[in-house]
Coordinates of all heavy atoms in Angstrom, one line a residue:
Chain Q
E296 N 89.2 96.1 69.7 CA 88.1 96.9 69.2 C 88.6 98.4 69.2 O 89.2 98.9 70.1 CB 86.9 96.8 70.1 CG 86.3 95.4 70.1 CD 84.9 95.4 70.7 OE1 83.9 95.8 70.1 OE2 84.9 95.1 71.9
E297 N 88.2 99.1 68.1 CA 88.7 100.4 67.9 C 88.3 101.3 69.1 O 89.0 102.2 69.5 CB 88.0 101.0 66.6 CG 88.4 102.4 66.2 CD 89.9 102.6 66.1 OE1 90.7 101.6 65.8 OE2 90.4 103.7 66.2
R298 N 87.1 101.0 69.7 CA 86.6 101.9 70.8 C 87.5 101.7 72.1 O 87.3 102.4 73.0 CB 85.2 101.6 71.1 CG 84.9 100.2 71.5 CD 83.4 99.9 71.7 NE 83.3 98.5 72.2 CZ 82.1 98.1 72.7 NH1 81.1 98.9 72.9 NH2 82.1 96.8 73.1
D299 N 88.3 100.6 72.1 CA 89.1 100.4 73.2 C 90.5 101.0 73.1 O 91.4 100.8 73.9 CB 89.3 98.9 73.5 CG 88.1 98.4 74.3 OD1 87.4 99.2 74.9 OD2 87.9 97.1 74.3
R300 N 90.7 101.8 72.0 CA 92.0 102.4 71.7 C 92.4 103.3 72.9 O 91.6 104.1 73.4 CB 91.9 103.2 70.5 CG 93.1 103.8 69.9 CD 92.9 104.1 68.4 NE 91.7 104.9 68.1 CZ 91.7 106.2 68.2 NH1 92.7 106.9 68.5 NH2 90.6 106.8 67.9
L301 N 93.7 103.2 73.3 CA 94.1 104.1 74.4 C 94.4 105.5 73.8 O 94.5 105.7 72.6 CB 95.5 103.6 75.0 CG 95.5 102.2 75.5 CD1 96.9 101.9 76.2 CD2 94.4 101.9 76.5
A302 N 94.4 106.5 74.7 CA 94.7 107.8 74.3 C 96.2 107.8 73.8 O 97.0 107.0 74.2 CB 94.6 108.8 75.5
S303 N 96.5 108.7 72.9 CA 97.8 108.8 72.3 C 98.9 109.0 73.4 O 98.7 110.0 74.1 CB 97.9 109.9 71.2 OG 97.1 109.5 70.2
P304 N 99.9 108.2 73.5 CA 100.9 108.4 74.5 C 101.9 109.5 74.1 O 102.1 109.7 72.9 CB 101.6 107.1 74.6 CG 101.4 106.4 73.3 CD 100.1 107.0 72.7
C305 N 102.6 110.1 75.0 CA 103.8 110.9 74.8 C 105.0 110.1 75.0 O 105.0 109.2 75.9 CB 103.8 112.1 75.7 SG 102.4 113.1 75.6
P306 N 106.1 110.3 74.2 CA 107.3 109.6 74.5 C 107.7 109.8 76.0 O 107.7 110.9 76.5 CB 108.3 110.2 73.6 CG 107.5 110.8 72.5 CD 106.2 111.2 73.1
G307 N 108.1 108.7 76.6 CA 108.5 108.8 78.0 C 107.4 108.2 79.0 O 107.7 107.9 80.1
Q308 N 106.2 108.2 78.5 CA 105.1 107.7 79.3 C 105.2 106.2 79.3 O 105.9 105.6 78.5 CB 103.7 108.2 78.8 CG 103.5 109.6 79.1 CD 102.0 110.0 78.7 OE1 101.6 109.9 77.6 NE2 101.2 110.3 79.8
F309 N 104.3 105.5 80.1 CA 104.3 104.1 80.1 C 102.9 103.6 80.1 O 101.9 104.3 80.4 CB 105.1 103.5 81.3 CG 104.5 103.8 82.7 CD1 103.6 102.9 83.3 CD2 104.7 105.0 83.3 CE1 103.0 103.2 84.5 CE2 104.1 105.3 84.6 CZ 103.3 104.4 85.2
A310 N 102.8 102.3 79.8 CA 101.5 101.6 79.9 C 101.6 100.4 80.9 O 102.7 100.0 81.1 CB 101.1 101.1 78.5
M311 N 100.5 100.0 81.4 CA 100.5 98.8 82.2 C 100.0 97.7 81.2 O 98.9 97.7 80.7 CB 99.5 98.9 83.4 CG 99.8 99.9 84.4 SD 101.4 99.7 85.3 CE 101.2 98.1 86.1
L312 N 100.9 96.7 81.0 CA 100.6 95.6 80.1 C 100.2 94.4 81.0 O 100.8 94.1 82.0 CB 101.8 95.2 79.2 CG 102.3 96.3 78.3 CD1 103.4 95.7 77.3 CD2 101.1 96.9 77.4
W313 N 99.2 93.7 80.5 CA 98.6 92.6 81.3 C 98.7 91.3 80.5 O 98.3 91.2 79.4 CB 97.2 93.0 81.6 CG 96.4 91.9 82.3 CD1 96.6 91.4 83.5 CD2 95.1 91.3 81.8 NE1 95.6 90.5 83.8 CE2 94.7 90.4 82.8 CE3 94.4 91.5 80.6 CZ2 93.5 89.6 82.7 CZ3 93.2 90.7 80.5 CH2 92.8 89.8 81.5
S314 N 99.2 90.3 81.2 CA 99.2 89.0 80.6 C 98.1 88.2 81.4 O 98.1 88.1 82.6 CB 100.6 88.3 80.8 OG 100.5 87.0 80.3

Side-chain angles (χ1 to χ4, degrees):
Chain Q
E296 289 194 85
E297 181 59 21
R298 61 181 183 166
D299 278 343
R300 187 159 51 88
L301 303 188
S303 295
C305 300
Q308 286 189 297
F309 67 95
M311 296 301 296
L312 297 187
W313 175 58
S314 178

